[in-house]
């Protein structure tokens, strides 16, 4: 009986191993390291030194530096922004003014989650720039235990970089892989509320960001800012992750005009002030301040993008070279 049990266990083990999905970028050691990376980034205080070594180990296994047409296919999916390590301590590449810890927004809003999804192009998209996918960055914020919800979405076309661009050391942090892209982002979509029925507005400048994917498997994607050298760990989300998919209905809704958004925010601000005066100090104060803050961002057309963000200048240079006028 013992012998039969051992043989059955051996056969089952072989069956599971042979039926597991294989990927040229994914080996058993990579799975283990990927799990360790995700555990490390979820620690209360991530160990940057240890993470850097594990990330380097995964990148060294990357065998995808070729120009095959399907090289971007493994990157597609929904992703959490799990970890960020900047070269310049002053940089805040995920969220700009919305998530900067010393900024005003974080004094009244709490960051729920941040995402960077890589998705196929829409079927009705007219592809004029050679895009192979769309990048969708999402900042989800809230206040008053979730009663006030704010979502900021940057959607852009992901265009492969040419070999000349990837090796232009006057522009890139280091030579990039063949999976490097430039993401040509639309103006930020700022959405107030869970459905965006009343305030759903495109506001702010268009931007261009270069991003390399130095490793990818079914658990995570490792990214690097092409010009900044910032390292990212993106953890894959399941397809049925509700929060990761919230952006879809928000983007489908027709944007609000600037005038209407300011009128609604003015009304909300007045309601908040009234509540503050009538003893609902916390709720009224947060509603009033949040409305005024959003109104200021809309009125100044920043969309939360920081004043010294180089991606704005990069986009202007792209448009100048392409002969596009804003």
């Amino acid at each position: 009986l013992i012998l039969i049990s051992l043989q059955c266990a051996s056969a089952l083990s072989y069956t599971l191993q042979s039926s597991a999905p294989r990927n040229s970028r994914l080996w058993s050691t990579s799975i283990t390291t990927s799990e360790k990376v995700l555990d490390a980034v979820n620690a209360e205080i991530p160990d940057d030194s240890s993470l850097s070594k594990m990330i380097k180990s995964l990148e060294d296994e990357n065998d995808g530096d070729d120009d095959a047409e399907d090289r971007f296919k493994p990157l597609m999916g929904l992703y959490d922004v799990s970890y960020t390590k900047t070269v310049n301590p002053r940089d805040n590449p995920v969220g700009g003014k919305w998530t900067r810890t010393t900024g005003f927004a974080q004094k009244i809003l709490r960051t729920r989650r941040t995402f960077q999804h890589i998705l196929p192009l829409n079927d009705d998209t007219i592809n004029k720039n050679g895009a192979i996918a769309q990048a969708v960055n999402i900042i989800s914020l809230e206040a008053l235990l979730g009663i006030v919800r704010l979502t900021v979405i940057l959607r852009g076309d992901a265009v492969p970089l040419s070999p000349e661009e990837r090796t232009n050391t006057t522009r890139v942090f280091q030579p990039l892989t063949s999976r490097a892209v430039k993401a040509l982002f639309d103006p930020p979509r700022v959405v107030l509320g869970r459905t965006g029925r009343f305030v759903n507005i495109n506001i702010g400048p268009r931007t261009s960001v270069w991003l390399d994917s130095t490793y990818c498997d079914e658990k995570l994607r490792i990214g690097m800012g092409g010009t900044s050298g910032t390292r990212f760990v993106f953890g894959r989300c399941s397809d049925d992750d509700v929060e990761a998919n919230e952006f879809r209905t928000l983007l489908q809704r027709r944007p609000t005009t600037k005038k209407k958004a300011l009128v609604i925010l003015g009304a909300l601000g007045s309601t908040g002030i009234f509540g503050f005066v009538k003893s609902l100090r916390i709720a009224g104060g947060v509603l009033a301040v949040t409305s005024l803050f959003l109104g200021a961002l809309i009125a100044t057309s920043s969309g939360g993008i920081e004043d010294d963000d180089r991606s704005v200048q990069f986009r202007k240079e792209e448009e100048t070279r392409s002969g596009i006028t804003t």
Side-chain angles (χ1 to χ4, degrees):
L1 288 175
I2 294 174
L3 180 60
I4 293 173
S5 298
L6 289 173
Q7 289 175 336
C8 290
S10 177
L12 177 60
S13 175
Y14 177 82
T15 301
L16 290 174
Q17 290 176 9
S18 61
S19 62
R22 297 302 299 267
N23 185 308
S24 62
R25 301 178 180 83
L26 186 63
W27 305 94
S28 59
T29 54
S30 299
I31 295 174
T32 302
T33 305
S34 295
E35 291 172 341
K36 289 180 179 179
V37 168
L38 292 175
D39 287 342
V41 299
N42 289 322
E44 186 174 349
I45 303 178
D47 184 341
D48 291 336
S49 176
S50 176
L51 272 167
S52 294
K53 292 177 182 178
M54 288 189 286
I55 289 172
K56 180 66 164 58
S57 174
L58 288 174
E59 290 177 334
D60 288 344
E61 295 183 20
N62 178 18
D63 64 354
D65 195 14
D66 58 54
D67 289 318
E69 291 186 3
D70 64 347
R71 67 189 184 277
F72 296 102
K73 188 175 180 180
L75 309 182
M76 301 295 174
L78 306 172
Y79 296 91
D80 265 308
V81 182
S82 304
Y83 174 79
T84 306
K85 179 62 177 177
T86 62
V87 175
N88 183 348
R90 294 184 64 254
D91 286 348
N92 184 42
V94 182
K97 292 178 180 179
W98 300 106
T99 60
R100 185 172 287 280
T101 54
T102 57
F104 181 73
Q106 285 294 303
K107 290 180 170 57
I108 56 175
L109 298 167
R110 183 187 72 86
T111 302
R112 294 174 68 223
R113 289 174 75 179
T114 56
F115 303 95
Q116 187 191 82
H117 305 325
I118 305 296
L119 304 173
L121 294 171
N122 295 327
D123 293 338
D124 58 350
T125 299
I126 300 176
N127 191 352
K128 296 181 179 180
N129 52 23
I132 46 80
Q134 54 180 335
V136 185
N137 293 351
I138 303 128
I139 311 297
S140 180
L141 307 119
E142 66 180 9
L144 292 178
L145 301 176
I147 296 175
V148 176
R149 177 73 58 80
L150 181 72
T151 307
V152 184
I153 307 170
L154 269 75
R155 193 224 64 88
D157 292 336
V159 181
L161 293 177
S162 68
E164 293 75 22
E165 289 173 316
R166 300 197 309 256
T167 56
N168 180 6
T169 53
T170 62
R171 174 73 178 269
V172 298
F173 181 77
Q174 66 184 42
L176 308 177
T177 75
S178 61
R179 290 196 295 268
V181 299
K182 53 185 170 187
L184 304 175
F185 286 113
D186 304 328
R189 177 78 68 94
V190 179
V191 182
L192 181 63
R194 296 174 185 271
T195 64
R197 180 181 177 185
F198 298 109
V199 177
N200 184 330
I201 185 170
N202 287 326
I203 197 75
R206 292 181 290 190
T207 54
S208 174
V209 175
W210 289 15
L211 180 68
D212 197 1
S213 293
T214 55
Y215 178 83
C216 183
D217 63 26
E218 86 278 15
K219 294 183 181 298
L220 56 77
R221 173 168 56 91
I222 296 174
M224 185 185 75
T227 57
S228 66
T230 296
R231 295 288 178 151
F232 302 91
V233 174
F234 304 105
R236 281 193 188 268
C237 305
S238 64
D239 291 340
D240 58 358
D241 186 321
V242 175
E243 292 179 349
N245 284 283
E246 288 174 343
F247 76 97
R248 298 184 189 275
T249 56
L250 300 179
L251 275 183
Q252 290 172 357
R253 185 176 289 278
R254 187 174 182 178
T256 313
T257 64
K258 182 175 180 179
K259 181 179 179 180
K260 181 179 179 181
L262 289 174
V263 169
I264 292 172
L265 289 172
L268 289 174
S270 299
T271 301
I273 293 172
F274 180 80
F276 182 83
V277 172
K278 293 296 182 179
S279 76
L280 296 174
R281 293 188 174 276
I282 296 178
V286 169
L287 182 60
V289 173
T290 301
S291 300
L292 293 173
F293 177 66
L294 289 178
L297 287 178
I298 292 173
T300 58
S301 300
S302 74
I305 293 176
E306 297 188 294
D307 299 334
D308 58 351
D309 194 320
R310 291 172 294 175
S311 64
V312 178
Q313 182 59 37
F314 291 158
R315 183 59 184 269
K316 291 179 179 179
E317 293 172 1
E318 293 280 349
E319 293 173 345
T320 299
R321 284 194 295 269
S322 302
I324 300 173
T325 58
T326 57

